[in-house]
Amino acid sequence: MTKGTFCILIPLDSDYKILGYYFKNKDDADFKITSDLFLRLNLDHERSDYNFLKLKDHKIFSYIKKFEGKNKNKALGFILGLLLDEEEKPDKFRSPLKEASESLEDLNILKITEDEFSLKIKEIYQETLEPMIDILKPEALRDAVINRTKELLSGGKKERKLAQELLEKVENREYEKITQYYKNAKNELKSDDYEKAGKIFSKACEIALELLGEDSEITKSLKEKASYSQKTPELSKKRDKIVQDARIALKNEDFHQAYLLYKQASEISKELVQFEKEEEYRLKSKALNDFYQVDLKFKKE
């Protein structure tokens, strides 16, 4: 489970600005973003949009949203972070974090007041950052489809016809397929069958697109999960081949090449949201680079 969330604005003319926090329990409200913590987060996000950070008392999974267009002239972007329970894994929050960041950007957070932001970050946390399975409960999906039909009924002939079709699908409980497909896909992920999971997420996405439309956050999230799951096997194979090459380079005492290869493996592991592997290969890369620099120094002498 998640404990809470925070958002840090990265202005052009200063180090950072805390836009706000939200915590589910008062016991966690003593958490604060310090200058040192911001510096560490900001440096990590220079290398990757997503970042996982283990501290002494906290686990933080974060996403950086870089501004484009007019906002780019006023600030670099913002970091949205989640505080996780000790046993919680960050990968399932990848899509919700990105969705929540897009929702925050739509609010024009450069102008929003502190009180307004406090209300919005709580709303976004409860609607988007809670586990996806809560959002995909059949009763919640049914309400979402019915709300869409209400909007369509106020439109033209084409929209009213679509609303009638959707109501028939509600009567046939089509929305329940989304929940079932999602659960099935999650089970495949537990078995590390990412390819199969990706195909099932795609089926859930197709139904969500039909019932909720392409602008629905649920549809967008399922689409991203399908894409992420489908590319995982290929990236994993690529990473494993790079690690194998790194070991061969190390065996041949080509420390510089081994350093570069382990660095690549670390970067791919981060893209896969496999942070234990990312840390392992990053530390090996650093150690080999240090060894290479020392070896090079004494060879010159």
Side-chain angles (χ1 to χ4, degrees), residues 178-206:
I178 299 176
T179 306
Q180 192 56 55
Y181 278 137
Y182 181 81
K183 288 180 178 179
N184 292 345
K186 294 293 286 184
N187 287 333
E188 296 301 335
L189 287 179
K190 289 178 182 178
S191 303
D192 293 330
D193 194 338
Y194 287 90
E195 186 175 353
K196 191 171 182 179
K199 291 178 180 178
I200 299 174
F201 276 133
S202 291
K203 290 180 180 178
C205 181
E206 288 172 8

Side-chain angles (χ1 to χ4, degrees), residues 23-74:
F23 301 100
K24 284 168 61 174
N25 300 312
K26 292 182 179 180
D27 294 343
D28 297 310
D30 59 346
F31 172 83
K32 298 295 178 187
I33 299 294
T34 63
S35 297
D36 289 343
L37 179 53
F38 166 73
L39 181 60
R40 190 170 175 184
L41 285 169
N42 200 32
L43 286 173
D44 285 346
H45 278 300
E46 287 182 3
R47 298 189 293 268
S48 177
D49 290 344
Y50 293 93
N51 186 61
F52 182 56
L53 190 60
K54 284 185 178 180
L55 304 175
K56 183 178 179 181
D57 300 316
H58 300 285
K59 290 170 63 178
I60 299 172
F61 186 45
S62 55
Y63 174 78
I64 187 168
K65 180 67 177 178
K66 296 174 183 176
F67 286 143
E68 298 178 358
K70 293 181 180 179
N71 285 339
K72 191 176 182 180
N73 298 324
K74 300 174 183 178

Side-chain angles (χ1 to χ4, degrees), residues 136-146 166-181 204 207-208 211-212:
L136 295 182
K137 288 179 179 177
E139 57 271 22
L141 288 170
R142 180 179 180 276
D143 291 343
V145 179
I146 290 175
L166 288 175
L167 286 173
E168 291 175 5
K169 288 174 181 176
V170 168
E171 290 179 6
N172 293 330
R173 308 173 77 91
E174 288 289 310
Y175 54 86
E176 291 184 352
K177 292 180 181 178
I178 299 176
T179 306
Q180 192 56 55
Y181 278 137
I207 298 173
L211 296 179
L212 300 168

